[in-house]
mmCIF file with all atom_site columns, all heavy atoms in Angstrom:
data_model
loop_
_atom_site.group_PDB
_atom_site.id
_atom_site.type_symbol
_atom_site.label_atom_id
_atom_site.label_alt_id
_atom_site.label_comp_id
_atom_site.label_asym_id
_atom_site.label_entity_id
_atom_site.label_seq_id
_atom_site.pdbx_PDB_ins_code
_atom_site.Cartn_x
_atom_site.Cartn_y
_atom_site.Cartn_z
_atom_site.occupancy
_atom_site.B_iso_or_equiv
_atom_site.pdbx_formal_charge
_atom_site.auth_seq_id
_atom_site.auth_comp_id
_atom_site.auth_asym_id
_atom_site.auth_atom_id
_atom_site.pdbx_PDB_model_num
ATOM 1  N N   . ALA A 1 3   ? 101.182 -23.589 38.632 1.00 51.00 ? 78  ALA A N   1
ATOM 2  C CA  . ALA A 1 3   ? 100.984 -24.778 37.810 1.00 51.00 ? 78  ALA A CA  1
ATOM 3  C C   . ALA A 1 3   ? 99.800  -24.554 36.871 1.00 51.00 ? 78  ALA A C   1
ATOM 4  O O   . ALA A 1 3   ? 98.843  -23.871 37.223 1.00 51.00 ? 78  ALA A O   1
ATOM 5  C CB  . ALA A 1 3   ? 100.729 -25.988 38.696 1.00 51.00 ? 78  ALA A CB  1
ATOM 6  N N   . LEU A 1 16  ? 70.567  -32.243 17.280 1.00 98.00 ? 91  LEU A N   1
ATOM 7  C CA  . LEU A 1 16  ? 69.393  -32.848 16.647 1.00 98.00 ? 91  LEU A CA  1
ATOM 8  C C   . LEU A 1 16  ? 69.800  -33.326 15.254 1.00 98.00 ? 91  LEU A C   1
ATOM 9  O O   . LEU A 1 16  ? 70.389  -32.564 14.485 1.00 98.00 ? 91  LEU A O   1
ATOM 10 C CB  . LEU A 1 16  ? 68.252  -31.827 16.545 1.00 98.00 ? 91  LEU A CB  1
ATOM 11 C CG  . LEU A 1 16  ? 66.914  -32.418 16.149 1.00 98.00 ? 91  LEU A CG  1
ATOM 12 C CD1 . LEU A 1 16  ? 65.787  -31.614 16.775 1.00 98.00 ? 91  LEU A CD1 1
ATOM 13 C CD2 . LEU A 1 16  ? 66.739  -32.409 14.650 1.00 98.00 ? 91  LEU A CD2 1
ATOM 14 N N   . SER A 1 25  ? 53.261  -38.908 -4.865 1.00 96.00 ? 100 SER A N   1
ATOM 15 C CA  . SER A 1 25  ? 52.769  -39.932 -5.774 1.00 96.00 ? 100 SER A CA  1
ATOM 16 C C   . SER A 1 25  ? 51.510  -39.424 -6.469 1.00 96.00 ? 100 SER A C   1
ATOM 17 O O   . SER A 1 25  ? 50.751  -38.628 -5.917 1.00 96.00 ? 100 SER A O   1
ATOM 18 C CB  . SER A 1 25  ? 52.493  -41.244 -5.035 1.00 96.00 ? 100 SER A CB  1
ATOM 19 O OG  . SER A 1 25  ? 51.589  -41.037 -3.983 1.00 96.00 ? 100 SER A OG  1
ATOM 20 N N   . GLN A 1 32  ? 49.597  -36.796 -4.050 1.00 96.00 ? 107 GLN A N   1
ATOM 21 C CA  . GLN A 1 32  ? 49.585  -36.850 -2.601 1.00 96.00 ? 107 GLN A CA  1
ATOM 22 C C   . GLN A 1 32  ? 51.020  -36.833 -2.098 1.00 96.00 ? 107 GLN A C   1
ATOM 23 O O   . GLN A 1 32  ? 51.948  -37.213 -2.820 1.00 96.00 ? 107 GLN A O   1
ATOM 24 C CB  . GLN A 1 32  ? 48.807  -38.043 -2.087 1.00 96.00 ? 107 GLN A CB  1
ATOM 25 C CG  . GLN A 1 32  ? 49.234  -39.386 -2.600 1.00 96.00 ? 107 GLN A CG  1
ATOM 26 C CD  . GLN A 1 32  ? 48.224  -40.465 -2.261 1.00 96.00 ? 107 GLN A CD  1
ATOM 27 O OE1 . GLN A 1 32  ? 47.834  -41.226 -3.117 1.00 96.00 ? 107 GLN A OE1 1
ATOM 28 N NE2 . GLN A 1 32  ? 47.818  -40.557 -1.013 1.00 96.00 ? 107 GLN A NE2 1
ATOM 29 N N   . ARG A 1 50  ? 72.559  -36.210 27.977 1.00 96.00 ? 125 ARG A N   1
ATOM 30 C CA  . ARG A 1 50  ? 72.946  -36.794 29.265 1.00 96.00 ? 125 ARG A CA  1
ATOM 31 C C   . ARG A 1 50  ? 71.702  -37.315 29.988 1.00 96.00 ? 125 ARG A C   1
ATOM 32 O O   . ARG A 1 50  ? 70.600  -36.795 29.802 1.00 96.00 ? 125 ARG A O   1
ATOM 33 C CB  . ARG A 1 50  ? 73.626  -35.740 30.119 1.00 96.00 ? 125 ARG A CB  1
ATOM 34 C CG  . ARG A 1 50  ? 74.953  -35.320 29.555 1.00 96.00 ? 125 ARG A CG  1
ATOM 35 C CD  . ARG A 1 50  ? 75.627  -34.333 30.453 1.00 96.00 ? 125 ARG A CD  1
ATOM 36 N NE  . ARG A 1 50  ? 76.896  -33.930 29.866 1.00 96.00 ? 125 ARG A NE  1
ATOM 37 C CZ  . ARG A 1 50  ? 77.714  -33.087 30.425 1.00 96.00 ? 125 ARG A CZ  1
ATOM 38 N NH1 . ARG A 1 50  ? 77.420  -32.553 31.597 1.00 96.00 ? 125 ARG A NH1 1
ATOM 39 N NH2 . ARG A 1 50  ? 78.839  -32.773 29.837 1.00 96.00 ? 125 ARG A NH2 1
ATOM 40 N N   . THR A 1 54  ? 66.293  -32.548 30.391 1.00 97.00 ? 129 THR A N   1
ATOM 41 C CA  . THR A 1 54  ? 64.913  -32.167 30.103 1.00 97.00 ? 129 THR A CA  1
ATOM 42 C C   . THR A 1 54  ? 64.808  -31.894 28.609 1.00 97.00 ? 129 THR A C   1
ATOM 43 O O   . THR A 1 54  ? 65.521  -31.026 28.081 1.00 97.00 ? 129 THR A O   1
ATOM 44 C CB  . THR A 1 54  ? 64.521  -30.913 30.904 1.00 97.00 ? 129 THR A CB  1
ATOM 45 O OG1 . THR A 1 54  ? 64.673  -31.197 32.297 1.00 97.00 ? 129 THR A OG1 1
ATOM 46 C CG2 . THR A 1 54  ? 63.087  -30.506 30.615 1.00 97.00 ? 129 THR A CG2 1
ATOM 47 N N   . ALA A 1 78  ? 51.876  -40.569 18.532 1.00 98.00 ? 153 ALA A N   1
ATOM 48 C CA  . ALA A 1 78  ? 52.878  -39.780 19.242 1.00 98.00 ? 153 ALA A CA  1
ATOM 49 C C   . ALA A 1 78  ? 53.174  -38.455 18.538 1.00 98.00 ? 153 ALA A C   1
ATOM 50 O O   . ALA A 1 78  ? 53.766  -37.555 19.135 1.00 98.00 ? 153 ALA A O   1
ATOM 51 C CB  . ALA A 1 78  ? 54.168  -40.582 19.400 1.00 98.00 ? 153 ALA A CB  1
ATOM 52 N N   . ALA A 1 81  ? 48.966  -34.449 13.709 1.00 98.00 ? 156 ALA A N   1
ATOM 53 C CA  . ALA A 1 81  ? 48.888  -34.231 12.265 1.00 98.00 ? 156 ALA A CA  1
ATOM 54 C C   . ALA A 1 81  ? 49.477  -32.855 11.951 1.00 98.00 ? 156 ALA A C   1
ATOM 55 O O   . ALA A 1 81  ? 49.223  -31.886 12.672 1.00 98.00 ? 156 ALA A O   1
ATOM 56 C CB  . ALA A 1 81  ? 47.448  -34.307 11.791 1.00 98.00 ? 156 ALA A CB  1
ATOM 57 N N   . THR A 1 83  ? 49.970  -29.192 10.672 1.00 98.00 ? 158 THR A N   1
ATOM 58 C CA  . THR A 1 83  ? 49.064  -28.089 10.334 1.00 98.00 ? 158 THR A CA  1
ATOM 59 C C   . THR A 1 83  ? 49.888  -26.895 9.894  1.00 98.00 ? 158 THR A C   1
ATOM 60 O O   . THR A 1 83  ? 51.050  -26.736 10.286 1.00 98.00 ? 158 THR A O   1
ATOM 61 C CB  . THR A 1 83  ? 48.178  -27.679 11.526 1.00 98.00 ? 158 THR A CB  1
ATOM 62 O OG1 . THR A 1 83  ? 49.005  -27.329 12.638 1.00 98.00 ? 158 THR A OG1 1
ATOM 63 C CG2 . THR A 1 83  ? 47.235  -28.805 11.937 1.00 98.00 ? 158 THR A CG2 1
ATOM 64 N N   . SER A 1 129 ? 44.430  -31.752 -5.886 1.00 95.00 ? 204 SER A N   1
ATOM 65 C CA  . SER A 1 129 ? 44.746  -31.121 -7.164 1.00 95.00 ? 204 SER A CA  1
ATOM 66 C C   . SER A 1 129 ? 45.652  -29.909 -6.952 1.00 95.00 ? 204 SER A C   1
ATOM 67 O O   . SER A 1 129 ? 46.240  -29.404 -7.906 1.00 95.00 ? 204 SER A O   1
ATOM 68 C CB  . SER A 1 129 ? 43.458  -30.696 -7.881 1.00 95.00 ? 204 SER A CB  1
ATOM 69 O OG  . SER A 1 129 ? 42.749  -29.758 -7.091 1.00 95.00 ? 204 SER A OG  1
ATOM 70 N N   . GLU A 1 142 ? 62.948  -29.545 15.338 1.00 98.00 ? 217 GLU A N   1
ATOM 71 C CA  . GLU A 1 142 ? 63.351  -28.705 16.465 1.00 98.00 ? 217 GLU A CA  1
ATOM 72 C C   . GLU A 1 142 ? 63.092  -29.441 17.768 1.00 98.00 ? 217 GLU A C   1
ATOM 73 O O   . GLU A 1 142 ? 62.165  -30.250 17.855 1.00 98.00 ? 217 GLU A O   1
ATOM 74 C CB  . GLU A 1 142 ? 62.590  -27.382 16.460 1.00 98.00 ? 217 GLU A CB  1
ATOM 75 C CG  . GLU A 1 142 ? 62.936  -26.502 15.281 1.00 98.00 ? 217 GLU A CG  1
ATOM 76 C CD  . GLU A 1 142 ? 62.116  -25.233 15.211 1.00 98.00 ? 217 GLU A CD  1
ATOM 77 O OE1 . GLU A 1 142 ? 61.062  -25.150 15.872 1.00 98.00 ? 217 GLU A OE1 1
ATOM 78 O OE2 . GLU A 1 142 ? 62.539  -24.322 14.488 1.00 98.00 ? 217 GLU A OE2 1
#
Side-chain angles (χ1 to χ4, degrees):
L91 191 149
S100 56
Q107 55 192 131
R125 293 183 181 181
T129 301
T158 57
S204 61
E217 294 176 343

